[in-house]
Each structure stands twice: as structure tokens, then as C-alpha cells.
Amino acid sequence: MNSKARQTRAALLLLTLLLPALPAAAEREPFAPPDLPPRYMPARQYDLEHVRLDLTFDWDRRSVEGTATNTLVPLLPGLDTLVFHATGLDIRRVRLAGGSADLPFTVSPEAQTVTVKLGRAYGPQDRLELAIDYAARPKAGLYFVGPDAGYPRKPRQIFSQGEPDLNRHWFPSWDYPNDKATSEMVATVKQPMTAVSNGKLLETADASGGRRTYHWKMEQPHTTYLVSIVVSEFSRIADEWNGIPVEYYVPPGYEGMARRSFGDTPKMMGYFSEVTGRPYPYAKYAQTTVVDYMWGGMENITATTQTLRTLHDERAQPDHSSEGLVAHELAHQWFGDLITTESWDHLWLNEGFADYFTALWMGHARGEDDLAFEVDDLREGYLAEDGDEYRRPISTKRYTHPLRMFDAHSYQKGALVLHMVRGLLGEEGWWKAVREYVDRNAFRTATTADFQSAFEEASGASLGALVDQYVYGAGHPELAARWSYDPESGLVRVHLEQNQTPTGETGLFSFPLEVALVGEAGTTVHRVSVEPLAAQDLTLSSPSRPRTVVLDPRGWILKTLDFDKPVSEWIVQLDTAEPLAARLEAVRALGKLGGDEAVAALGKALREAPFYGVRRVAAQSLGEIGTAAALEALRAGLEDKDSRVRTEVLTAFGRFPDLGEPLPLLRRALEQEPSYYARAAAAASLGKFTGRRTELAPVLVKALSQESYNEVVRAAAIKALAELGAPETYEQAVRLARYGSPGDSRDDAFTALARYGANHKDPKVREQVRKILEGYLDDPIFIARRSLYEAMAESGDPAMIPALERVLKTEPEAMQRQRIETAIRKLRAAGGEEQSEQALRDRVEQLERETEVLKEQVRELQARQDG
């Protein structure tokens, strides 16, 4: 072989190696930088006993002014300096209550503290009342919303949001969760506004200048992030539970919706009181609705703040119940308020409990299938974050900001850990342990160790492996299984593998596993132990060959499972399994396997399954199969009595972009469906038929005029236009993004603009989109800016980075900073990937040119030799 030929072959080999590398596989992002040091709660100098706030709230000036008095006891002798958390406050005077002399103080904006010199040393025998006079126009923590030229009908409101560390923006105190104190709010507001705060209303009194003072007192200790205030003109709807006032505060005109959203609250209070063994322990429970709220709700003790978006009309009720939100925030009154995480690395004790007790309420109120479907939803939510974004231990001290801990690991995975504990302990052991945990830790802060010790001592069980693997470790078992039967020995053998990638945080798991043998005469369930091995065989006795084998039929274990079984066995599992978890597993497996048998079984489930959740997942699986037969089977779902099933069917129709048959059905649903959400699903699916753009764009433009709950139809339609790549997208999205347009569809207009620009070939169009989106970076609405950052990230336009970096420098809110940083990171990655891919393409083209030159030289050499 001559040298030229070797060079040619080398070039061709390099070319074949380079070409497959172009579409690089995505990997999980790290949750935190690898060199990030652990976070610990700061050392406390004192025990905070009481916080009294005597404040005047002025909506016109967007200000708060008054005195914060912190009552405390030093923890150690020799305390001559006090540190409180405060940022952006104009502190005017500090003094000891009862004294006339001012105390010197210094303010540190970087540390967000005010440090007070006491003049002499104090110790545990002393009780200090430190009064701080101040004023503020808060940039975070306390929010002022109301009418303007864009939204002249918006109510005037002032509301706080303290978790995790924002109350320091409007009053000075200890602002970490590792201490508890009672509190008092003396709030003066302009009439006819009402001030709603924590605890019991002791007094209202008229004040000068057309103002009124509300005196609220919270007599049980709680962490300071739960101190709250909401001020507005409200209608108050009164309820009660066991003589305790239950109140719903809504803007005038929303009274009927309040009953629809919050009316089950007393029943929930009764249920949580019974199962925890601790009757609702406070003087009242209020739920107050606010506009432009950044969360769904916040469990401020005795005074939950809820988003106004949860209030809905009767038509939306079948699709959008407030029940889950109401139950979650109410459960927090026990888990989060009565018992509070000691530090943010144990946040799951707040959020995981609240999520799981919401699911338990659903099971209590509606039945076991509803509980199982809630658990299934929790599992899907956690797996999405774990698979698509990042993996972390539930409890970790390495996080960039406490807000980062408010994710699917703390919420959904935390709830799933509790579900596993319940499966391990059984009903009697579980409820005994819950009551022991509540009794031990009431009015205290708690850690994962406190949870573990209470549950173990109450039940006698060992939770060490479960906590170590699932709470302090990351990930979950990723199982692959197959089974066989030996008639001679009468043994079923299940071969089980754990395929998760081992890391420093994710290892091999051990857990108890229920195995159901489904036979002709019935089902037998065995419990076996899975060892922390990469592969193992489980053997079970059976007198005859089972029709199929089901692993973890009740869905106790957090896992993924790839069970190698034929379609016929999955159909047996679907038809015979009682637990919902096993039926849902079968439905999803049939969707992945496909084929005529699977379609027939799924079609039957869609038509006949008694529980709506099975019918919904059957529709999803038929959409995943995507054949003409699957489409035909889906049609029956349009007649389902449950709008949630019809919505899923219409969503599944979007999986058939190469078949035109669903289009008349989608267009009819968009015009005639009684369900807002079903109409929105129809609009979204129409956006998948890109080959019919000219025909469908006018249909979607017309849908933009439809009114719906929270603008769900309009929002879906504008995004569908963008997905079609319709020229109408630009004009319509610009119109809907404009300040003053319907607020609930502005978010999706931003997204539509970003997608339209990202997919447009004309750089001038992309530049126009960039300028429009950047023009909203100073939008006064918090939730609009939050959606804007996400849309800018989706645009893939690195030219937006400088504008985002400018905003990042002045943004006081951790939630917004997190989204800005994420957007910048994604845009940098997009720019880097574009550049690296372009460089790779250039190199490949160069190699191709060199290869052609080499081939020509080889041909010339061969011709000479032949000559």
C-alpha cells in the first residue's frame, strides 16, 4: 500500500468518525457546581421569642413604615451585639423597649444585616425587647399591584411572600427557618381596604386620615418566613370547622367562585386533624386571593395566600379543581408550619409531606384509584426532572440558593419516599408513626433524622436503607426484568437487573418487592427482598405456570421497570390486575410495544375502563402507537363523559401529523367542545399538522378570539400558530404580548414569538423578535417577566445575553435571578453548539475536499501503473 492510498483511507475513516458526532446526546446538567461548598444555617446568638410589627402600609407610595420589635433571650453570656436580617430598609432608630437612648447600628447591604451595639453584655437571664423604627419601599418580599393604564380594572392589593428569605425586605428580624417565635401584626391601611394577617383578629380601630388599624396576634410559635400580610378591598366568605372560623377573602364579584374553590376546606381540616392526631391547632384559617401571585399558594400560618387564578367558573370545574392546591396548603399547616424544616436541605419534610397528604386526601374523598393516580402523577413529575434536567439527593447542603431546593425532588420525590414508607409499615404502622412524628415535633423544627427516629420508634421498622438510598442518595432503581417457569421444580424465576449508572450519589438499591403471580384461579402476591446487586434471580413457588408475573403491583417502590413480556401478558395484566398502578403499567407497556393486539386492548380500555385515569393513559398510549388503527380506536374517546379523557384524546390526535383524518374532529372540538381544556388541546394538536399550514392558520387565528378560563384556549392557539410556522404568528403574538392584553395569555405570546424567531430563516425577523422581547424586560408584572426569561431561553438567540446580563445585575428576587441565569446558560450553550457544529461542518467539508483530491491522485497513479 503506497502512502497516498493510506492518506486517502485515513481521511475517509476520520470522515466516518466525525459525521455521527454531529447530533450529540444531551446529558443531565449538574444540580450545583461541583466545587460549591455546603450551606449551613448561620449560628444563632439568641432565641427569638416574639415579633411585633406596628406598620402603616401605603399603596399610593408603595411603602411600609413603622416599628419592628423583636423580643429575644441571649443563648450565651456576654452578648453585646445583635444581628438581624434586613435589606433595603431605611432604618432610622434602634432602642431597647422602655429605654429612651438610641443604640448605634451598622447596615451591611452585602450581608443583608443590621448589627446593633447594645452598650453592655447580656446573657440567658435577660429578656430584651429591641425596637427598630424604619421605612421601606420594598423591591421584593412585599408587592404592590393595582390598576394602571394597561389594566384599569385590576384591584389594589399589597401582599407579602416570605419564603424562603424575602421577609427581610420589609421588616428586620431573624430570617432563617431554624428558630420559631410568636408574632403580632398591627397594620394600618387606607379604608375600605382590609388587612389579613396571621392568627386571631384582636381588634379593629379607625385611625386618622380615613385609615383603619387591624390588630392580629399569632399565639403559637412559628418561623418568621410565615409572617404575612395581605391588604385589599375584599369580600369575606365565612365558614367554620369545630367552632374555628374558616374564611375566604376574594375581590368583590368573586364570591360564588370562592365557594367553588375553597368550600371543601372544613372537610379537609377534619380529615387532617383526625389522621395526624392533632386537631387544627390555631385560632382561624383564612385563604386570601391575590393577583399576579408568583406561586400557586403559600402556607402562611393560619393565613394562606392563594393565586386569584385558582378561582374558576362552573364550566372549568371538571378540568380545573382547586382541591389539590387547597389540600396542599392546608396540609402545610401541620407539615411546614406546626413542624418546620430545620434548614433548607430538609425541605422535603415540608413539601413532600404536603404533596403526599394531598394525595391521601384525594384517596379519602374519592377512592383508592384517585390516590394511586395522584401517586402516579407524582412519579411522572419526579422522573421528568430526574431524566431531563438534573439528579440530586433529596437532602443536600450543596445548592446555590434555597429557592433551588423547591423542585420535584423536594416535592414529588419527597412524597414518593413517604409512599414507600407507608407501603413498608402498613396502614396501622404508618398512621401510628405519623402521629408520633407530629406529637414529638409540634411547634419545633425538624430534620430528616427526627423523621427517621420517630417513624422507626413508633413502628419498630428500620428505615436506614430507604433513607440512605432515596433521601441522602440520588436517583432510583432502573430495573430490567424477565421471568420464566420451571414445571419440574414448580418455580417461577424472575431475573432482575439494576441498570442505573453508579456515581458517588447513586448506587445499587435494596428494597422489599411485592411479586404477583397471576394464575387461572386467581392472583398470589409474594414479598421478596431485592439486594443491592447489579443482577439477581428471585425464585417463587407456583404449582402451575402463571399467566403473567407483575412486579410491585401496588406501586409502592419508586423505580423504573423495563419488564420483557409479550403483548399477551400485558393484556392479561391490564384485564386482571386490581391495583391501579399495575393497570397503568400495562397500558403504557402496550403503547410502547404496539401492534394490532395492543391497539385492540387499549381501545377496549379507552371505551370500558371504569376509572377515568386508565382511559386517559390509554389515549396517550394509542397516540404513541401512531398507526391508522390506533387513530380509529381513539375516536371512541371523543364520546367520553369525562372531559379530561376527551382532552387527552384530542392531544393524542396531534401524534398523527401524516394522517389528515383527525383534522375535522379537531376543528369541530375547537368550536364546539364544552370544555375549555379540550378546546385548548384541539388547538395545540392543530399546530402539529405543519403540512396543512395554509388551511389551519386561519382556524387558529379565529380561536384567538375565544374567551376561556385563564385564557387556556388563546394561549394554546398562539403557540400552535408558532409551531405551524404560520406568517400570522408574528402579528398576533406581538398583539397578545403587549402590556394591557389578557394577562394569562401574554406568557404564551412571548413563547410563540421566541419560537417563531428561532425557526425563521430571515435574520431581520430574528432581530425584530429579539428587540420586542427585550423591550419587556422592565415589565412591571412579576409573573410576566418570569415567563419572558423562559421564552428568551427558548429563542436560542445568543444576542439576547447582554440584555439579560444587565437585568441580572439589578434583580433582587432569587426566583427571577435563577430564571435569568438559566436563560443565559441555555443561550450560551446554544451559541456554543452552533459555533462548534459549524466548525465541525467546515472541517468535514475540508476533509471531503481533501479526500476528493487524494482520490484523484490515486486514480492518476493507477493510470500511470496501467500505462
Side-chain angles (χ1 to χ4, degrees):
M1 183 183 294
N2 63 47
S3 59
K4 290 293 184 182
R6 286 196 297 270
Q7 291 178 19
T8 301
R9 291 192 179 189
L12 289 171
L13 177 59
L14 182 58
L15 186 63
T16 60
L17 291 174
L18 284 173
L19 288 174
L22 289 173
E27 295 182 358
R28 290 187 185 96
E29 294 184 356
F31 173 69
D35 57 347
L36 186 73
R39 282 178 174 263
Y40 298 93
M41 291 294 98
R44 291 162 49 212
Q45 305 168 298
Y46 50 81
D47 177 26
L48 185 67
E49 291 190 342
H50 187 70
V51 179
R52 178 182 167 113
L53 303 176
D54 293 88
L55 301 175
T56 296
F57 296 87
D58 190 325
W59 188 90
D60 294 314
R61 295 180 61 243
R62 306 306 201 264
S63 69
V64 58
E65 183 174 4
T67 302
T69 303
N70 289 275
T71 302
L72 55 92
V73 174
L75 292 173
L76 295 172
L79 182 66
D80 60 2
T81 301
L82 292 176
V83 176
F84 301 100
H85 301 108
T87 182
L89 307 184
D90 176 15
I91 296 178
R92 298 168 175 175
R93 184 185 181 202
V94 181
R95 64 195 185 281
L96 285 172
S100 58
D102 289 0
L103 298 175
F105 63 89
T106 57
V107 174
S108 171
E110 295 79 16
Q112 299 188 346
T113 57
V114 53
T115 301
V116 180
K117 296 291 185 181
L118 293 174
R120 71 174 181 86
Y122 293 86
Q125 73 281 1
D126 299 305
R127 191 170 184 267
L128 309 179
E129 293 183 21
L130 202 83
I132 303 176
D133 299 339
Y134 70 99
R137 300 186 67 182
K139 296 181 179 179
L142 190 69
Y143 305 87
F144 299 77
V145 300
D148 57 18
Y151 300 96
R153 299 179 63 186
K154 185 179 292 187
R156 294 188 178 200
Q157 293 189 328
I158 306 169
F159 61 86
S160 64
Q161 170 55 39
E163 191 179 33
D165 57 0
L166 294 174
N167 274 348
R168 65 186 65 185
H169 288 264
W170 65 282
F171 69 88
S173 190
W174 183 260
D175 196 21
Y176 284 91
N178 60 343
D179 199 3
K180 289 196 170 190
T182 56
S183 66
E184 212 165 344
M185 176 73 70
V186 184
T188 300
V189 300
K190 189 174 183 179
Q191 297 189 55
M193 287 185 167
T194 298
V196 182
S197 189
N198 316 98
K200 183 178 181 180
L201 182 62
L202 300 182
E203 179 185 23
T204 62
D206 289 342
S208 62
R211 298 178 299 172
R212 178 170 291 166
T213 299
Y214 294 80
H215 186 178
W216 294 89
K217 188 169 185 179
M218 186 68 220
E219 296 179 337
Q220 292 87 1
H222 55 89
T223 187
T224 55
Y225 73 70
L226 296 171
V227 172
S228 70
I229 186 75
V230 180
V231 178
S232 188
E233 184 176 352
F234 285 120
S235 289
R236 174 182 175 271
I237 294 89
D239 236 331
E240 66 91 27
W241 176 79
N242 279 14
I244 295 175
V246 179
E247 305 167 333
Y248 320 130
Y249 291 90
V250 297
Y254 286 84
E255 293 83 357
M257 292 186 181
R259 284 283 182 196
R260 186 177 295 113
S261 286
F262 304 139
D264 283 340
T265 303
K267 295 178 183 177
M268 296 178 188
M269 293 173 74
Y271 174 70
F272 292 142
S273 295
E274 177 185 358
V275 297
T276 61
R278 175 75 59 149
Y280 181 80
Y282 311 118
K284 70 111 178 8
Y285 185 59
Q287 293 171 93
T288 306
T289 54
V290 300
V291 297
D292 297 343
Y293 195 47
M294 61 283 296
W295 299 100
M298 175 61 206
E299 65 273 13
N300 300 310
I301 191 164
T302 77
T304 285
T305 305
Q306 305 274 30
T307 175
L308 189 68
R309 290 182 174 193
T310 196
L311 300 178
H312 54 277
D313 59 26
E314 187 174 0
R315 184 175 165 187
Q317 175 69 17
D319 302 281
H320 177 87
S321 168
S322 299
E323 189 175 14
L325 175 62
V326 172
H328 179 97
E329 305 305 337
L330 179 61
H332 267 312
Q333 300 300 311
W334 285 264
F335 305 105
D337 296 2
L338 181 69
I339 306 170
T340 308
T341 178
E342 170 78 16
S343 53
W344 298 118
D345 48 307
H346 302 288
L347 177 65
W348 78 278
L349 297 175
N350 289 11
E351 301 301 346
F353 266 95
D355 259 8
Y356 192 54
F357 272 70
T358 299
L360 291 170
W361 160 256
M362 294 297 188
H364 169 77
R366 304 181 185 279
E368 283 300 311
D369 278 354
D370 281 86
L371 166 57
F373 202 51
E374 290 289 319
V375 171
D376 183 77
D377 187 60
L378 294 168
R379 184 178 289 106
E380 292 293 301
Y382 156 69
L383 290 175
E385 182 173 274
D386 177 83
D388 299 337
E389 298 183 44
Y390 54 80
R391 170 173 287 182
R392 70 168 178 88
I394 291 178
S395 179
T396 176
K397 289 181 171 60
R398 287 182 166 82
Y399 51 88
T400 54
H401 186 274
L403 201 67
R404 282 284 280 165
M405 299 294 287
F406 290 75
D407 62 3
H409 284 72
S410 291
Y411 284 71
Q412 287 96 322
K413 190 180 183 184
L416 294 167
V417 165
L418 296 174
H419 187 62
M420 286 191 288
V421 171
R422 179 166 156 250
L424 181 65
L425 303 187
E427 291 302 295
E428 185 176 346
W430 161 259
W431 289 118
K432 182 182 178 184
V434 166
R435 294 185 181 102
E436 178 69 18
Y437 174 68
V438 171
D439 188 59
R440 277 193 198 186
N441 297 287
F443 305 114
R444 297 176 54 196
T445 59
T447 66
T448 301
D450 295 320
F451 156 81
Q452 183 176 343
S453 65
F455 272 69
E456 287 183 337
E457 291 177 30
S459 66
S462 172
L463 300 181
L466 188 151
V467 171
D468 285 349
Q469 294 167 161
Y470 282 96
V471 179
Y472 296 123
H476 52 271
E478 299 172 26
L479 304 177
R482 62 181 184 271
W483 75 275
S484 61
Y485 179 70
D486 182 2
E488 292 186 5
S489 62
L491 292 178
V492 171
R493 179 171 284 103
V494 178
H495 181 71
L496 196 66
E497 297 177 0
Q498 296 193 38
N499 292 328
Q500 62 271 19
T501 302
T503 67
E505 295 177 332
T506 304
L508 297 170
F509 289 74
S510 61
F511 49 90
L513 179 67
E514 289 184 344
V515 181
L517 306 182
V518 181
E520 296 292 344
T523 299
T524 304
V525 179
H526 302 260
R527 179 176 280 206
V528 298
S529 294
V530 173
E531 301 299 326
L533 301 172
Q536 59 200 288
D537 287 331
L538 310 174
T539 57
L540 307 103
S541 178
S542 178
S544 59
R545 178 183 177 84
R547 298 175 66 196
T548 191
V549 174
V550 183
L551 301 185
D552 190 25
R554 293 190 287 177
W556 290 121
I557 304 301
L558 172 55
K559 65 188 184 306
T560 58
L561 174 61
D562 179 10
F563 203 163
D564 185 9
K565 299 197 300 188
V567 166
S568 59
E569 287 193 30
W570 288 113
I571 294 174
V572 169
Q573 180 170 325
L574 175 59
D575 289 342
T576 62
E578 286 298 322
L580 182 71
R583 283 178 277 153
L584 294 178
E585 180 188 41
V587 168
R588 292 188 172 114
L590 290 169
K592 292 176 181 177
L593 291 172
D596 292 342
E597 282 186 281
V599 168
L602 291 170
K604 180 183 176 184
L606 178 59
R607 295 189 306 272
E608 300 177 9
F611 184 63
Y612 84 96
V614 174
R615 304 198 300 276
R616 282 186 60 185
V617 179
Q620 294 171 3
S621 290
L622 286 167
E624 187 173 348
I625 292 174
T627 62
L631 176 60
E632 184 61 32
L634 270 170
R635 291 174 183 267
L638 290 178
E639 305 302 320
D640 200 284
K641 61 184 178 181
D642 195 308
S643 59
R644 293 169 294 183
V645 177
R646 300 196 302 273
T647 297
E648 210 65 64
V649 169
L650 292 165
T651 299
F653 281 165
R655 304 292 293 269
F656 300 84
D658 297 327
L659 300 175
E661 290 86 344
L663 288 179
L665 302 174
L666 290 169
R667 294 179 63 169
R668 183 163 62 247
L670 185 56
E671 294 290 337
Q672 300 178 12
E673 246 291 344
S675 163
Y676 297 131
Y677 283 78
R679 290 192 181 202
S685 286
L686 287 172
K688 309 292 184 183
F689 290 80
T690 54
R692 309 286 284 270
R693 178 187 303 135
T694 304
E695 171 191 351
L696 296 178
V699 175
L700 291 167
V701 170
K702 183 181 178 182
L704 293 175
S705 64
Q706 288 193 32
E707 302 293 333
S708 59
Y709 163 73
N710 279 354
E711 305 295 339
V712 294
V713 176
R714 186 175 286 127
I718 190 61
K719 287 195 293 187
L721 275 173
E723 192 158 0
L724 283 179
E728 294 90 338
T729 304
Y730 181 81
E731 178 184 354
Q732 298 297 333
V734 168
R735 175 178 65 85
L736 291 175
R738 191 172 297 123
Y739 190 79
S741 296
D744 290 327
S745 57
R746 290 185 73 211
D747 304 352
D748 299 279
F750 293 150
T751 301
L753 268 174
R755 291 178 181 174
Y756 182 76
N759 295 325
H760 209 285
K761 296 180 180 179
D762 188 345
K764 292 183 179 179
V765 172
R766 294 197 293 273
E767 183 180 1
Q768 288 175 333
V769 167
R770 180 172 70 249
K771 289 180 178 179
I772 291 170
L773 293 177
E774 289 178 353
Y776 290 110
L777 286 172
D778 295 322
D779 196 282
I781 299 178
F782 184 103
I783 54 178
R785 296 198 308 278
R786 180 179 65 191
S787 301
L788 175 66
Y789 304 142
E790 293 170 353
M792 294 173 82
E794 195 168 336
S795 74
D797 185 354
M800 294 183 182
I801 292 175
L804 286 166
E805 288 177 330
R806 286 195 298 271
V807 173
L808 182 62
K809 291 178 182 178
T810 57
E811 176 54 60
E813 288 271 7
M815 178 192 293
Q816 301 288 46
R817 290 200 305 273
Q818 181 176 311
R819 282 170 169 77
I820 297 169
E821 289 167 352
T822 298
I824 291 171
R825 185 172 66 253
K826 288 183 176 180
L827 291 174
R828 282 177 177 159
E833 287 169 5
E834 288 175 5
Q835 294 166 12
S836 62
E837 287 186 10
Q838 184 60 51
L840 187 54
R841 283 192 290 268
D842 291 345
R843 178 61 178 149
V844 168
E845 290 176 3
Q846 179 183 351
L847 288 169
E848 288 175 338
R849 289 192 297 269
E850 291 177 358
T851 299
E852 290 303 317
V853 171
L854 291 171
K855 286 180 177 179
E856 183 61 31
Q857 291 174 344
V858 169
R859 284 192 290 268
E860 290 179 2
L861 289 171
Q862 187 66 47
R864 291 176 186 173
Q865 290 176 356
D866 292 344

